[in-house]
């Protein structure tokens, strides 16, 4: 189900709780909501649709993947950039890493570990900041 986007900074600033298999509907809603915003959005965190769980979805070309209870375990190459957010107006400066390695659970709650680079790494970092209650 497509959910409305949360725009309240106070709500978005609350750190998310760990997700469990009981949160699978949140995954579906998050993927549906991302698909409805593909013209101006490449990733979303669950708190952007009003659910305070550590679930993000990231658009990778034609596919969107879910990442649950994610943690960056390695990173390299800091750079400065500007980012926008569907939940907030305008763009803001931020620091990101060119390369990250992430441990997470996939949509079936199976453990995964993967390395991401450049723009994909940037998207993931932005969404994981949402899960930490950190806004750009």
């Amino acid at each position: 189900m497509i959910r409305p986007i949360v725009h309240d900074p106070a709500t978005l600033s609350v750190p998310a709780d760990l997700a469990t298999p009981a949160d699978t509907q949140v995954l579906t809603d998050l993927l549906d909501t991302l698909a409805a915003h593909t013209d101006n959005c490449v990733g979303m965190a669950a708190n952007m649709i009003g659910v305070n769980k550590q679930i993000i979805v990231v658009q990778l070309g034609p596919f969107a993947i879910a990442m649950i209870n994610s943690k960056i375990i390695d990173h390299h190459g800091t750079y400065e950039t500007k980012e926008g957010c569907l939940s907030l107006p305008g763009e803001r400066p931020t620091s990101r890493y060119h390369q990250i390695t992430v441990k997470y659970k996939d949509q079936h709650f199976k453990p995964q570990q993967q390395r991401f680079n450049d723009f994909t790494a940037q998207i993931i970092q932005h969404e994981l900041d949402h899960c930490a209650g950190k806004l750009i």
Side-chain angles (χ1 to χ4, degrees):
M1 174 171 74
I2 298 169
R3 297 280 219 50
I5 303 300
V6 172
H7 298 282
D8 176 38
T11 301
L12 295 168
S13 296
V14 176
D17 298 324
L18 290 174
T20 70
D23 296 311
T24 54
Q25 184 60 50
V26 177
L27 275 170
T28 302
D29 292 352
L30 203 50
L31 288 165
D32 290 348
T33 306
L34 177 63
H37 293 277
T38 55
D39 59 330
N40 62 345
C41 186
V42 291
M44 298 186 86
N47 67 350
M48 294 174 66
I49 61 168
V51 180
N52 202 25
K53 294 290 185 165
Q54 291 184 26
I55 304 171
I56 67 170
V57 292
V58 178
Q59 194 71 42
L60 301 176
F63 303 104
I65 64 162
M67 302 175 83
I68 302 161
N69 301 333
S70 307
K71 184 174 185 167
I72 296 172
I73 59 169
D74 193 26
H75 54 77
H76 301 284
T78 305
Y79 67 99
E80 301 299 315
T81 188
K82 286 186 178 182
E83 293 177 355
C85 180
L86 195 59
S87 288
L88 304 168
E91 287 189 341
R92 292 167 177 80
T94 191
S95 296
R96 297 292 181 212
Y97 299 108
H98 281 288
Q99 183 180 82
I100 59 174
T101 302
V102 183
K103 275 186 147 180
Y104 64 98
K105 292 185 180 171
D106 66 18
Q107 64 192 23
H108 306 291
F109 281 81
K110 298 224 184 299
Q112 305 291 328
Q113 182 173 312
Q114 193 169 352
R115 182 175 297 143
F116 299 94
N117 297 300
D118 301 320
F119 188 57
T120 302
Q122 182 178 342
I123 298 165
I124 293 167
Q125 290 169 84
H126 178 102
E127 303 313 332
L128 290 181
D129 278 354
H130 270 293
C131 289
K134 187 171 150 186
L135 302 176
I136 55 171

